[in-house]
Amino acid sequence: PFEESDVPVMVGSDNYPSSVSISQQRLIWASTKADPARVFMSEVGDFYTYNAHEISKPDDCIDFKLPITRFAKINHICEMRKLLMFNSACEWLVDSASSVQGLTYETIQAYPQSYSGSSERLKPIICNNSLIFCERTGQAVRRFAYDISNDGFAGRDVSVLSASIFENNNIVDWTYQQFPYSTLWCVLKDGTAASFEFMEEQD
């Protein structure tokens, strides 16, 4: 169990998480006011149990911090076949260092993938096989997907041809309409709306 000095998530007003997700049958809580870079993962298959044994088991809870020193707050957690985390400085892949074992306290590793930084307010959106996220400035939209040539995830600016729309006019909210035209609808700071048809197969 947690040591007495180790205050677990959801105990006390400074320990409520701002990011929540599910991955590999674990409930994941992250980014509390007291510790914005800290991540808690439940036991496998039991979302509300956070126990660790003296001799660790593969399904024990996981408690770790992203190795970041700048813009430490984890803004978003997303599951895209791999566990992805976003903060205002860079984008992270959280994965097992073992090729034969899933995420455990001993195998968990965090790898920075790109350094665009994400918006704290706008949650990334999964569109088909890609993930779309907004940069921290709110003035650029990036497609974040696995790139086999780099053996990692990379973010490509998909709003570069429409940069004039976002001059002094950042995105404040958005949503995704899958049918019929795979459209991303964005509310801009000046009260207008912008739309983007995202059809990955047509680039």
Side-chain angles (χ1 to χ4, degrees):
F2 285 95
E3 297 294 334
E4 217 172 290
S5 59
D6 248 350
V7 180
V9 71
M10 301 294 279
V11 176
S13 59
D14 288 343
N15 288 285
Y16 283 84
S18 62
S19 299
V20 181
S21 187
I22 294 174
S23 180
Q24 297 189 22
Q25 301 182 57
R26 296 179 184 272
L27 182 63
I28 303 169
W29 313 80
S31 191
T32 65
K33 184 177 179 181
D35 208 338
R38 192 173 181 184
V39 180
F40 304 85
M41 296 185 179
S42 72
E43 288 188 8
V44 174
D46 191 344
F47 293 167
Y48 301 103
T49 301
Y50 292 81
N51 290 325
H53 300 86
E54 287 189 23
I55 300 176
S56 64
K57 298 180 179 181
D59 61 348
D60 276 357
C61 73
I62 300 173
D63 178 1
F64 81 107
K65 291 185 181 183
L66 281 185
I68 47 183
T69 56
R70 186 166 163 263
F71 298 117
K73 183 179 182 295
I74 300 168
N75 294 331
H76 310 289
I77 308 171
C78 296
E79 171 70 21
M80 189 72 179
R81 291 183 297 224
K82 297 288 187 178
L83 183 59
L84 305 172
M85 295 188 182
F86 298 78
N87 73 351
S88 298
C90 62
E91 295 70 56
W92 295 83
L93 167 65
V94 178
D95 201 5
S96 172
S98 169
S99 59
V100 296
Q101 194 172 20
L103 289 177
T104 71
Y105 184 78
E106 295 178 342
T107 65
I108 192 166
Q109 293 285 339
Y111 309 92
Q113 302 295 293
S114 61
Y115 293 85
S116 301
S118 71
S119 165
E120 181 177 349
R121 177 172 182 162
L122 301 175
K123 184 174 177 63
I125 294 175
I126 294 177
C127 305
N128 299 324
N129 295 319
S130 297
L131 185 144
I132 303 293
F133 76 93
C134 186
E135 284 190 8
R136 63 176 176 270
T137 60
Q139 296 180 324
V141 177
R142 289 186 173 272
R143 170 185 177 266
F144 195 64
Y146 182 77
D147 182 359
I148 193 169
S149 62
N150 294 322
D151 191 25
F153 285 79
R156 179 168 64 91
D157 188 349
V158 294
S159 58
V160 64
L161 298 179
S162 309
S164 60
I165 294 176
F166 304 110
E167 288 181 5
N168 303 313
N169 196 23
N170 54 303
I171 301 171
V172 296
D173 201 359
W174 66 0
T175 190
Y176 175 61
Q177 178 188 356
Q178 184 172 1
F179 183 82
Y181 302 119
S182 190
T183 306
L184 188 68
W185 296 96
C186 305
V187 179
L188 304 182
K189 186 178 180 181
D190 66 359
T192 60
S195 64
F196 172 62
E197 291 183 7
F198 181 75
M199 297 183 181
E200 184 179 358
E201 62 276 7
Q202 297 182 21
D203 197 24

